[in-house]
Amino acid sequence: MNVHVEKHVLRISSSKQTCKEEKEGRKSLVKERCFQSFERSFSLPEDVNEKVSKVNLPMVS
């Protein structure tokens, strides 16, 4: 996860990549790939000090 603040805009982004491969016998092969990403931007109030701000994120599985 990436968190970035610039010019009173908070940007949060993340990406995930998974790959699954299964062999079934000598000639059969199954491959699955999954790519996911997101990005969100939020405007911050003008009085927010970007250098002092702190973020607490709960861990979610």
Side-chain angles (χ1 to χ4, degrees):
M1 178 172 279
N2 300 309
V3 178
H4 183 72
V5 177
E6 184 177 338
K7 297 182 181 178
H8 297 288
V9 176
L10 171 66
R11 287 191 177 85
I12 302 171
S13 63
S14 181
S15 62
K16 178 181 176 181
Q17 177 181 350
T18 59
C19 183
K20 180 179 175 183
E21 184 175 310
E22 294 180 14
K23 280 193 169 184
E24 299 174 3
R26 297 174 80 185
K27 294 185 179 183
S28 179
L29 177 65
V30 176
K31 287 187 179 184
E32 294 179 4
R33 291 189 177 104
C34 181
F35 300 92
Q36 300 173 337
S37 66
F38 82 93
E39 181 175 317
R40 299 289 184 268
S41 297
F42 304 94
S43 295
L44 298 174
E46 291 292 321
D47 61 344
V48 171
N49 186 344
E50 298 173 6
K51 296 180 187 211
V52 179
S53 298
K54 184 176 180 180
V55 177
N56 291 318
L57 300 172
M59 297 303 290
V60 178
S61 56

